[in-house]
Amino acid sequence: MEHGAPSLPGEALLLQLQLPGGPSAPRLARSAVENLRGQVPPDTLDDVRLIVSELVTNSVSHGHAGPEDRIHLRLELEADRVRLEVSDPGGGTPVPARRPRPDDASGWGLLVVDRLSERWGVRPGKPSAVWAEVGVSSAA
């Protein structure tokens, strides 16, 4: 894997790309994931697209990935899950864990990631990375 453990036997690389940071990064990431339609069940793809959008947004907001920086996105398909990883050069500044108030406009991203993924984690350092695994739904 580009910024982590080596790929395991049985994994298929679905997507690997570098995005420029900045405000357009989440939109570019969502578009790239949408190109996987037909390779992954629709419900799974919707969850993956939302998680990728949240993690890339966090790279811009908390990792301070600007247009001159690169955000790395990697998606792999295993038999029963999609594994995704988003990394940026920001160093992984942890965001304090707090539950946002119902009227808060932000702060919901990692709660969404937690809800939609089977498991997820953070690898601090330079580059820092957040990874998640999403179960492949049986919906066609």
Side-chain angles (χ1 to χ4, degrees), residues 13-124:
L13 181 63
L14 291 173
L15 176 69
Q16 180 172 302
L17 66 116
Q18 294 183 40
L19 304 164
S24 65
R27 177 183 48 80
L28 294 171
R30 285 189 301 272
S31 293
V33 171
E34 184 61 31
N35 288 328
L36 301 176
R37 192 159 294 282
Q39 297 181 58
V40 177
D43 290 345
T44 302
L45 185 64
D46 291 343
D47 290 348
V48 168
R49 187 176 53 244
L50 183 53
I51 291 170
V52 164
S53 183
E54 292 295 340
L55 296 181
V56 170
T57 297
N58 283 352
S59 287
V60 173
S61 299
H62 303 294
H64 309 290
E68 69 285 352
D69 297 311
R70 293 295 170 257
I71 297 170
H72 298 269
L73 172 61
R74 183 178 177 102
L75 278 75
E76 294 176 340
L77 178 63
E78 297 178 14
D80 61 348
R81 70 181 46 95
V82 173
R83 178 173 166 62
L84 62 99
E85 182 172 294
V86 175
S87 62
D88 64 63
T93 305
V95 177
R98 73 164 183 85
R99 186 161 187 86
R101 295 184 313 262
D103 59 339
D104 284 348
S106 64
W108 296 96
L110 291 180
L111 292 173
V112 169
V113 172
D114 187 60
R115 181 70 181 243
L116 295 178
S117 61
E118 291 182 345
R119 56 189 205 129
W120 66 279
V122 176
R123 196 182 62 248

